[in-house]
Amino acid sequence: MAVKPIARSYWRLIKTGNRTFASVPDGVKDDVKTLAKEDVVRGVITEEQYKDFIGEAFATE
């Protein structure tokens, strides 16, 4: 499944503190979570940062 391009924008805004995950439209939240998980795996953010940004513990599916 491809990530919606708008999700990348939302994820960037979340990481810079300009938006919260709670304010992301429901139709984009799964894609934003996917991008956040990819950043944890690549070492861009920590699992703790993931929890702070997304509001739930990091877990792989």
Side-chain angles (χ1 to χ4, degrees):
M1 176 174 97
V3 172
K4 295 175 189 81
I6 192 70
R8 295 186 191 286
S9 295
Y10 281 120
W11 179 228
R12 255 190 322 274
L13 291 169
I14 291 168
K15 289 193 293 185
T16 60
N18 293 312
R19 184 173 283 274
T20 63
F21 182 71
S23 70
V24 172
D26 289 340
V28 184
K29 284 187 174 185
D30 285 343
D31 286 349
V32 172
K33 281 185 185 181
T34 297
L35 294 170
K37 288 177 181 180
E38 288 175 0
D39 275 0
V40 172
V41 170
R42 293 183 306 152
V44 175
I45 65 170
T46 65
E47 290 184 20
E48 185 64 32
Q49 287 173 306
Y50 176 94
K51 183 177 180 182
D52 291 343
F53 290 139
I54 303 300
E56 62 188 43
F58 175 78
T60 55
E61 296 163 326

